[in-house]
Amino acid sequence: RAIWLGKPLIQASVHGATLVAQVRCFSNRDGQGACPVCSFSEVEWNHLNLQTRFNCDGPPTGKAAAQITKEPTMSTSFLCSTAADLALVQILRHVLGLGAPVMDTMLEYCGYTHQTVVSPLVRNPECRCDHTTYERAPCPRPIPDCTLRQFATLAGFDGEELLSFRVDDMTYAELGACGCGGGRPLRRFVADGAHVGRCRSCGAPVFPRPSDSHRPVPRSVVADVLDRPLRDLGAGAAQWLAVRCGDRAVLFIGPENGQKGA
């Protein structure tokens, strides 16, 4: 999200076994720089996919240990505080413009040698993360009162077919499923974990069917509801919307969230 919004990101981490504290500063100016995922190895991807939590309290115990993979960091409290202190130093240097620029650099301190090394951060062209920086555009009315077609036009994509829409943190559900089995037409946006009412036959809640849910949603999927207000499509609480076509994306934030209408 920092890349999408063009906001700087500063990340601090430790490697306890080698007494290393590390601070990486990502500028995210235009999406062409590095991101945290650019340097991921297969081991790190495996930890991400397993939702591994590196625990500072030692080896996991009890029932909670069986719910999610945990590994001790093998770190010490002073190393963690050192990483936090170095991160604050980098923030102050960046904000106050002190010394050499800190953005798109990695600062490493090694407790064994008391040496500090600064090296550049470079984008990995094979990075699996989306590096698109979204353009900002004003929204004339609250997001739920507008239609998807209006957003496409405001973004300059009028007439384009290869569009996709992302409405807040909501999923567009074509079909739902309940205890009866099969699929029930929904064609609406649904918040994560929410259901869209109960089935009149079995009384069970109707949830979006994963195989027929989209986030973001292609224009071709919502072609029949392009001219309906988002409020009528279940997105009455939406606060932002993004429209994407190829390598260009435009972000709309409603006037009630600080963006003035055009």
Side-chain angles (χ1 to χ4, degrees):
R1 294 195 179 195
I3 291 177
W4 292 349
L5 297 174
K7 300 294 184 181
L9 175 67
I10 296 181
Q11 177 198 36
S13 57
V14 298
H15 188 250
T18 55
L19 284 182
V20 169
Q22 183 184 89
V23 179
R24 295 190 288 177
C25 303
F26 305 95
S27 66
N28 297 326
R29 283 187 293 266
D30 53 12
Q32 299 305 308
C35 79
V37 178
C38 281
S39 60
F40 269 22
S41 65
E42 285 302 317
V43 172
E44 288 167 305
W45 274 110
N46 291 338
H47 281 306
L48 177 65
N49 293 332
L50 290 172
Q51 299 185 61
T52 304
R53 293 181 182 175
F54 291 92
N55 189 1
C56 289
D57 298 326
T61 57
K63 294 182 179 179
Q67 296 175 359
I68 192 165
T69 305
K70 294 185 179 181
E71 291 191 9
T73 61
M74 302 301 291
S75 184
T76 57
S77 59
F78 87 84
L79 188 63
C80 296
S81 64
T82 297
D85 291 340
L86 290 174
L88 288 173
V89 168
Q90 295 296 75
I91 291 172
L92 286 176
R93 290 185 62 203
H94 172 64
V95 172
L96 300 179
L98 303 176
V102 302
M103 284 299 152
D104 296 317
T105 68
M106 177 173 64
L107 169 66
E108 287 185 302
Y109 166 78
C110 180
Y112 283 131
T113 62
H114 278 310
Q115 289 185 326
T116 301
V117 177
V118 178
S119 53
L121 291 172
V122 181
R123 179 178 178 180
N124 176 4
E126 303 299 325
C127 180
R128 305 182 200 177
C129 193
D130 180 10
H131 279 244
T132 302
T133 298
Y134 288 20
E135 303 170 25
R136 294 288 196 97
C139 184
R141 299 191 303 279
I143 298 290
D145 294 340
C146 301
T147 69
L148 294 175
R149 190 185 302 278
Q150 288 173 332
F151 284 115
T153 301
L154 289 170
F157 297 141
D158 197 20
E160 295 283 352
E161 295 294 327
L162 301 179
L163 291 179
S164 65
F165 301 91
R166 178 159 180 165
V167 179
D168 216 295
D169 285 325
M170 308 184 79
T171 297
Y172 185 80
E174 293 184 85
L175 297 174
C178 60
C180 297
R184 296 179 175 274
L186 295 180
R187 293 197 294 276
R188 58 176 294 167
F189 291 95
V190 183
D192 284 346
H195 63 78
V196 291
R198 293 185 175 274
C199 175
R200 295 180 179 178
S201 299
C202 66
V206 179
F207 286 95
R209 198 160 70 174
S211 59
D212 296 287
S213 300
H214 309 267
R215 187 168 68 182
V217 56
R219 183 191 186 281
S220 58
V221 174
V222 292
D224 59 338
V225 295
L226 283 174
D227 296 308
R228 292 182 60 187
L230 289 173
R231 191 181 304 280
D232 295 344
L233 299 176
Q239 298 182 12
W240 59 268
L241 180 143
V243 189
R244 182 162 183 168
C245 182
D247 294 331
R248 182 170 169 254
V250 181
L251 174 67
F252 296 91
I253 298 178
E256 70 277 15
N257 292 297
Q259 287 279 7
K260 295 182 179 180

